[in-house]
Amino acid sequence: MAYLPFLLIHFGVQTVILLAALWIMIKLQKLNYHFLGLLGAAALASVISLIPLPFRIANLISCAVLLLCISKVTGAEFVDVRFTVGIGYALMFGMNLWLMGALVGDLRPSAREAENHPATEEVEQEDETPKAPQPAAAATNRTPLAVKSQTVKSPVEALPPLSVKSLIRNGARSSVTLQSDNDSRIIFLGDTEFVHTATGPLKVRFDGLTDQFVLLTVGEQQVKLAAR
């Protein structure tokens, strides 16, 4: 009993679709017909096609019965009847496909979501892309911190005497050896050391170098010493 409403709905839909297809073909061929007879033929063919018989025997019987009924309703020749029934079944098949597609709707929600969120996928792909390792800085004879020209201020206060004892140019690993009254200290580029002088320890930072000078920060003052 629970299956009966579904059968009734299926029967009604198939009858209406088959009736519309047959009516269109009869009108195109300008054949005589009776509407009630045409409705009965479509209903009888739809009922027979719903009978659960094996090997689609029900469809063959339904087609044969429809040929006979259309022949009686229109009174046309068998060639016209066969053409009407054949094209009518083709139209009914197309209408069934259209109705099924309209009821099911779009079966590709993932494609629509991909169009709505392209930026998220691009960000995820960029995150998943392995980053190339940064090349290690090779030792060169360039002096990176001495590229910018600086205006060196003369020290306001008198500083203990300092001189460049030796200088090693090795790019970012360059070093200078400073000589004071009673101390000799090696300082690498960018580092800060305390140089002992007669007046006490002196804080010195190696800022950079050029072809002729070594740039230092002694205490709070910038000093430029001749390079050797």
Side-chain angles (χ1 to χ4, degrees):
M1 296 297 294
Y3 194 62
L4 183 60
F6 174 76
L7 285 178
L8 292 177
I9 294 174
H10 190 189
F11 165 72
V13 171
Q14 292 300 316
T15 300
V16 171
I17 293 177
L18 182 58
L19 176 63
L22 293 174
W23 181 81
I24 291 172
M25 292 306 303
I26 290 175
K27 279 293 185 180
L28 290 177
Q29 297 181 89
K30 299 179 180 181
L31 301 177
N32 298 323
Y33 72 98
H34 300 286
F35 181 77
L36 293 180
L38 188 62
L39 176 60
L44 182 60
S46 298
V47 168
I48 296 175
S49 64
L50 294 178
I51 299 175
L53 295 177
F55 304 109
R56 297 192 175 273
I57 296 177
N59 293 333
L60 295 177
I61 297 175
S62 174
C63 182
V65 170
L66 187 59
L67 285 171
L68 180 61
C69 292
I70 296 299
S71 176
K72 296 295 182 181
V73 169
T74 60
E77 297 181 357
F78 182 72
V79 175
D80 295 333
V81 173
R82 185 175 60 181
F83 179 76
T84 300
V85 172
I87 302 301
Y89 270 124
L91 289 176
M92 184 181 70
F93 179 74
M95 291 179 184
N96 283 331
L97 291 180
W98 175 83
L99 182 61
M100 184 181 299
L103 292 176
V104 172
D106 191 0
L107 296 179
R108 298 178 300 169
S110 58
R112 194 162 52 242
E113 291 178 1
E115 293 177 358
N116 294 334
H117 306 284
T120 304
E121 292 186 355
E122 291 178 1
V123 172
E124 292 178 355
Q125 291 177 359
E126 290 179 359
D127 293 341
E128 293 175 359
T129 303
K131 296 182 179 180
Q134 297 293 335
T140 61
N141 290 329
R142 290 190 241 174
T143 57
L145 295 181
V147 180
K148 297 182 180 179
S149 60
Q150 300 180 3
T151 302
V152 180
K153 297 180 181 179
S154 299
V156 178
E157 299 179 358
L159 296 174
L162 292 174
S163 62
V164 177
K165 184 177 181 180
S166 64
L167 176 64
I168 299 176
R169 299 177 182 272
N170 190 20
R173 298 297 299 168
S174 298
S175 64
V176 62
T177 303
L178 296 180
Q179 180 69 47
S180 66
D181 293 336
N182 55 357
D183 189 15
S184 178
R185 186 73 58 179
I186 299 175
I187 307 176
F188 287 92
L189 185 63
D191 291 349
T192 301
E193 296 287 345
F194 284 94
V195 179
H196 296 282
T197 64
T199 58
L202 192 64
K203 183 179 179 181
V204 180
R205 185 177 73 239
F206 184 14
D207 293 330
L209 69 156
T210 64
D211 293 338
Q212 298 178 353
F213 300 100
V214 174
L215 301 179
L216 305 173
T217 298
V218 181
E220 300 296 332
Q221 303 179 25
Q222 287 186 338
V223 178
K224 182 170 64 174
L225 299 179
R228 292 186 180 181

